[in-house]
Amino acid sequence: MAIATFSPSFYCTRTESGRLTRFSLVHSHKLPSRVRIVSRLNSSNNSVSPADHNSNNNNDSGDSNSEEYEHHHRAFLRSRRKGSPVFVKLPEDTTWAGGILKRKKAVTQSFKALAAAGVEGVLMEVYWGVVEKDRPRIYDWGGYLDLVDLASKCGLKIRALFAFHGNGTGPGDRNWISLPKWVLEEIDKDPDLAYTDRFGRRSMEYISLGCDSLPVLQGRSPIQAYTDLMRNFRDTFRPFLGVIITGIQVGMGPAGELRYPLSPSQKLTRSWRTCELGEFQCYDKYMLASLNACARGIGRREWGDGGPIGAGNLMQDAEKTEFFRSRDGSWNTEYGNFFLEWYSGMLLLHGERLCREATTIFRGARVDTSAKVGGIYWHYGTQSHPSELTAGYYNTSTRDGYMPIARMFARYGFTMCCSCFEMRDVYEKHINPHSSPEGFLRQLLLAARICEIPLEGENFATDLDDAAFQQMLKMSKYYSDGIQKPSFSFNFVRMDKSMFEYNNWVRFTHFVRQLSDASSFRAKLDFRGNIRPSSSATSDATKVGVAFAYG
């Protein structure tokens, strides 16, 4: 089968073939415990320059790993894995610019508790705005190197998520991480580098994919900037690739997901709990130039001046809009098909560019590569699926918009990551009768099965009860049941203080055992935060005094 992709002027076709990836084994590898690396990338020399770590930071040492602990834990790692591994996403502020790993002692004890519970590893978000913050091609990996070293000592693997997006709703958000300062300066000079809706509102979360291949960032294109950072990461962390770092997730849009922003940055807070239709993000000059070229290419110049007329506003009932209404909405016309093919095709082309570059960079590195699809489920029960359409997924009651994405990932051997595993229709429909997280997720999982690509599951919310954990197990089986050797893993979002409260920890460790079929060793945590393993093969991780693990 062939899928449609296109250049700025017209459509073309490309055939695909699938390739599966497998998980690598972990071995012990250590870095000096006090190291900061700042590296500079240029055309002739990609080497890194070590420098002394700033001794005046506020880190605790937290390096008191006993030989007894490491001996028992290595034996535990060799015998525990039979099912699907679980990774835990780290707090958003674990690493910051300046080579600082925050709360090192607390993170160390948390890592030990995770290992005792049978967790395979952690997900480390590598923010563009942290690593290449002040000047182009100057990369600061210090805090991330400390984190990899710490995970290695605790027997945990790492998945690195390249976050080429901003985080949070603005400077007042305590987890706010902007795009690099020098990128923001370029956006100030040329505001059309940012996604723009029909009202002229800009999203500062991610650079518009309309200028993917244009030298708009001080002589480099955005794709080149992303590629340079990934290549420098590969060169800096080469000894750990396939050993400690076993996975790479490539951020492809807002929140790291392959999609357009649904709404302006200031309206992002809890939008997933609303009925927002979203806005088409095609009004910057780069996106408009592509749309205009495609419209001229088929002899319909009048279709190239902007997005659909009559798409309503963010909070409007879809049935009261000219474009999205079910019976005679223009989404289901020749014009609607033209626009949505172009809009979703641009997103696919963006994903393909990043898949191709990442595959080239990490070829032979023995790491799994993955990308994430957004969980846009709150209009799944309608005919037109408006919020999916504005996110860039041409998925309606008459068209499967996720199969082309799954085929693209299959061509490059990518794993597909998706969230909403804990969400239940019976609960969400009380908030919005048009929503269906289960229907959305089943469609995505079916596409992954048909294309034979590995899958990473995630939870959407962090406030989880017993029913939510059972739902995550149920949906994971929907993907893996009947497959002889399913390649499934789970990214739990995310590590924080509440995760280590007793009742939450009991639920979490039970979930890990059920999903991974792990045989955990007995571990106790004393009031100083030191884990003392015993030889018992019976899991007793739920009795660990984990409330002391993270503070």
Side-chain angles (χ1 to χ4, degrees), residues 91-325:
E92 293 166 305
D93 64 343
T94 301
T95 54
W96 293 96
I100 297 174
L101 172 60
K102 297 182 66 177
R103 300 185 300 272
K104 188 173 183 180
K105 184 175 181 180
V107 172
T108 300
Q109 302 312 319
S110 298
F111 278 14
K112 291 180 181 180
L114 293 177
V119 168
E120 181 84 354
V122 293
L123 191 66
M124 175 181 77
E125 292 164 297
V126 180
Y127 277 97
W128 188 22
V130 171
V131 174
E132 198 180 358
K133 180 179 180 180
D134 296 314
R135 289 185 293 167
R137 297 184 177 91
I138 303 297
Y139 306 97
D140 185 353
W141 300 107
Y144 294 105
L145 283 161
D146 285 346
L147 196 56
V148 172
D149 181 37
L150 183 58
S152 173
K153 290 177 180 177
C154 294
L156 294 173
K157 299 177 184 178
I158 280 183
R159 283 178 174 164
L161 189 164
F162 291 114
F164 298 116
H165 62 279
N167 183 69
T169 56
D173 188 334
R174 68 183 183 90
N175 292 320
W176 169 245
I177 302 174
S178 70
L179 296 176
K181 290 181 180 179
W182 62 273
V183 173
L184 295 178
E185 292 171 358
E186 296 304 311
I187 295 177
D188 285 340
K189 299 174 188 175
D190 182 5
D192 284 292
L193 297 180
Y195 281 121
T196 309
D197 67 17
R198 61 198 168 111
F199 299 108
R201 296 175 299 193
R202 313 279 187 182
S203 172
M204 303 300 289
E205 197 177 359
Y206 193 80
I207 296 177
S208 170
L209 60 80
C211 56
D212 264 357
S213 302
L214 302 176
V216 294
L217 299 179
Q218 298 190 23
R220 290 187 298 168
S221 70
I223 293 294
Q224 286 174 325
Y226 307 150
T227 300
D228 286 344
L229 186 143
M230 289 191 288
R231 185 180 295 111
N232 193 268
F233 176 91
R234 179 203 63 191
D235 295 342
T236 303
F237 290 86
R238 191 183 298 274
F240 302 100
L241 297 178
V243 182
I244 303 302
I245 301 172
T246 58
I248 299 294
Q249 188 177 122
V250 183
M252 296 186 173
E257 299 167 348
L258 178 62
R259 64 173 175 84
Y260 296 97
L262 284 169
S263 57
S265 299
Q266 65 270 24
K267 291 183 173 289
L268 291 176
T269 305
R270 297 187 68 82
S271 64
W272 62 279
R273 286 288 191 185
T274 74
C275 303
E276 288 189 13
L277 301 178
E279 294 283 356
F280 290 109
Q281 308 288 320
C282 60
Y283 290 86
D284 64 80
K285 65 184 181 184
Y286 303 104
M287 291 290 283
L288 286 175
S290 173
L291 176 60
N292 189 263
C294 282
R296 289 200 313 269
I298 62 170
R300 300 301 297 263
R301 296 173 61 95
E302 68 275 16
W303 288 354
D305 295 331
I309 297 173
N313 57 52
L314 284 176
M315 300 304 295
Q316 190 171 351
D317 183 349
E319 292 303 318
K320 296 179 180 178
T321 70
E322 180 182 338
F323 188 76
F324 294 121
R325 63 192 179 207

Side-chain angles (χ1 to χ4, degrees), residues 352-416:
E352 182 133 4
R353 287 166 174 155
L354 284 167
C355 284
R356 182 170 57 245
E357 295 295 343
T359 299
T360 300
I361 291 169
F362 294 104
R363 182 175 289 121
R366 296 177 299 140
V367 295
D368 300 307
T369 50
S370 67
K372 187 176 180 182
V373 176
I376 314 298
Y377 61 84
W378 46 93
H379 287 105
Y380 191 83
T382 67
Q383 294 290 307
S384 62
H385 297 218
S387 49
E388 290 168 79
L389 298 184
T390 55
Y393 306 135
Y394 190 1
N395 189 60
T396 68
S397 59
T398 59
R399 188 183 190 278
D400 188 337
Y402 298 111
M403 191 64 74
I405 296 175
R407 292 192 189 111
M408 176 185 68
F409 289 157
R411 283 199 301 276
Y412 293 95
F414 264 56
T415 297
M416 182 164 66

